[in-house]
Amino acid sequence: VSDNLRLIAGARYSDEDKDVYRDSRCFLGIVPTATLVPAPGALAAALCPSAALNGFTDSRSSSNFMPEAAMQWEFSDTTMLYGKVSDSAKAGGFSSSTNSSRDDLEYGDESALGLEAGLKSRSNDGRLEWNLTAFRTEFDDLQVNSFRVETVDGIVKTFPKITKAAKAISQGVEGDFRWAATDWLTLGASAAWLDATYDDYTDGNCNSVNATPSGVCDLTGYALPYAPDFQGTASADMLVPLTGNLNLIGGLLLSYSDSYLTEGTLDPNMLQGSYTRVDARLGIAAGDNRWSISVIGKNLGDEVVIGSSQGFGSYNLAYAEPPRTIFLQGTLRLGR
């Protein structure tokens, strides 16, 4: 538009077709021969509700137009202000649930409106860079994949089910900076504050703590999983010349996270507590950066961090991220 003002626009169109076929049958295990025999119709209906879906076929189509627009204003030679708005979508599909009727196997499209504004700035000498961003994403029909817990005739049953949160909002502020403190040392830090909640979610899946006979729980107002209120990092990177053709290289990264839930039904037993992780590296590199050898340590404090989890009634299963890991890394770059 002018020497210091830019407008940017774009769009994406997607068309997806999905077909589903269910092969669901019910067998009985005969003891002690350990053989399988087909269950009679009435017994199959009682023991294996999914058997009623045997031979089920269906198809669906999704078409989505997703535009976006952005503005960049160079407020000065060292500062840029920007804003962006975008629309995005995720196609619907069919649930793999083993305890669903034919009517609720299909789920619709998810859409999201994203808003972002911020600034990027640097010092006149270029040694300091800092950025600040505010964002908000509004989800409609958010697809939530978790396990539903139902109590039928006094028996707790657990099965996967994709449900739709009518509305969810994720918003917050992020900031970061990098500072070349010396010719050989660069310092950095980042911080993010997040507020991510279900704004309207009356058809949520229950967990073992809040289970209802229907397996349906109102999760409106609850925080989304994997959404800590605060996250922050601090880092230091060095490159020290040892000789004309050899450098000492190294780095240190501290990462902190508030607590958050790690499971779709928001089971409090699957809460990941706040933690701090330490990563570091130390090595040598060629002056022209053609090769390097480094010793790298990940999660040096051996923090136990849940990567993901699932609840099966009163039984909970969590997958931990890697423990303390130390390895040797070599790099060789060919060509110029």
Side-chain angles (χ1 to χ4, degrees):
V1 178
S2 66
D3 291 341
N4 61 355
L5 179 63
R6 289 183 294 275
L7 298 179
I8 304 167
R12 183 180 5 162
Y13 174 80
S14 70
D15 184 82
E16 299 185 40
D17 299 320
K18 295 183 179 180
D19 301 313
V20 62
Y21 170 73
R22 292 291 296 264
D23 187 350
S24 304
R25 309 181 190 185
C26 190
F27 291 87
L28 296 178
I30 306 302
V31 180
T33 58
T35 57
L36 295 176
V37 298
L43 188 57
L47 296 178
C48 310
S50 62
L53 297 173
N54 187 40
F56 172 77
T57 60
D58 203 351
S59 61
R60 73 182 314 276
S61 298
S62 295
S63 299
N64 290 288
F65 177 72
M66 295 163 279
E68 67 177 35
M71 179 196 72
Q72 297 177 348
W73 176 36
E74 294 184 358
F75 179 75
S76 68
D77 291 340
T78 58
T79 302
M80 181 188 74
L81 303 177
Y82 72 93
K84 181 179 179 180
V85 57
S86 61
D87 196 10
S88 58
K90 182 193 296 184
F94 298 94
S95 175
S96 62
S97 173
T98 59
N99 199 34
S100 294
S101 67
R102 294 172 179 260
D103 294 334
D104 63 0
L105 278 176
E106 183 179 355
Y107 56 91
D109 296 357
E110 168 190 320
S111 62
L113 175 65
L115 305 171
E116 182 179 340
L119 63 86
K120 297 179 180 292
S121 184
R122 66 177 185 274
S123 60
N124 288 325
D125 60 5
R127 299 178 67 91
L128 174 65
E129 297 179 352
W130 62 282
N131 309 292
L132 184 65
T133 302
F135 62 90
R136 178 183 173 94
T137 304
E138 300 176 357
F139 296 94
D140 286 329
D141 295 327
L142 178 68
Q143 299 167 6
V144 183
N145 191 3
S146 60
F147 283 80
R148 173 160 288 182
V149 179
E150 290 185 7
T151 303
V152 181
D153 297 329
I155 301 175
V156 177
K157 296 185 177 181
T158 306
F159 56 92
K161 184 175 179 62
I162 295 178
T163 54
K164 304 293 288 293
K167 292 184 180 297
I169 296 176
S170 176
Q171 58 189 358
V173 178
E174 295 179 347
D176 67 86
F177 82 89
R178 283 171 52 86
W179 175 42
T182 68
D183 292 340
W184 57 270
L185 178 64
T186 301
L187 302 177
S190 67
W193 291 266
L194 178 65
D195 174 28
T197 58
Y198 291 117
D199 199 45
D200 184 1
Y201 191 16
T202 58
D203 188 37
N205 286 340
C206 296
N207 54 55
S208 59
V209 176
N210 63 358
T212 64
S214 66
V216 178
C217 287
D218 188 351
L219 301 182
T220 302
Y222 283 76
L224 272 64
Y226 302 101
D229 293 336
F230 175 79
Q231 287 180 299
T233 66
S235 64
D237 293 281
M238 70 173 185
L239 192 155
V240 182
L242 298 177
T243 67
N245 297 316
L246 193 64
N247 295 326
L248 176 67
I249 58 175
L252 178 68
L253 174 64
L254 304 178
S255 305
Y256 172 81
S257 173
D258 272 346
S259 60
Y260 53 88
L261 293 167
T262 62
E263 194 262 341
T265 64
L266 309 182
D267 191 326
N269 294 311
M270 293 288 95
L271 177 71
Q272 169 62 56
S274 60
Y275 64 89
T276 301
R277 288 184 51 166
V278 181
D279 300 335
R281 60 184 175 86
L282 185 65
I284 55 174
D288 60 3
N289 206 31
R290 290 286 299 275
W291 61 265
S292 66
I293 299 177
S294 300
V295 176
I296 300 175
K298 298 285 189 180
N299 192 14
L300 293 177
D302 206 20
E303 290 284 337
V304 178
V305 179
I306 299 176
S308 62
S309 64
Q310 295 174 341
F312 301 93
S314 60
Y315 174 68
N316 298 309
L317 177 65
Y319 303 88
E321 293 187 357
R324 180 190 299 117
T325 307
I326 299 175
F327 56 95
L328 182 67
Q329 175 178 286
T331 302
L332 175 64
R333 295 178 175 86
L334 303 177
R336 290 190 174 185

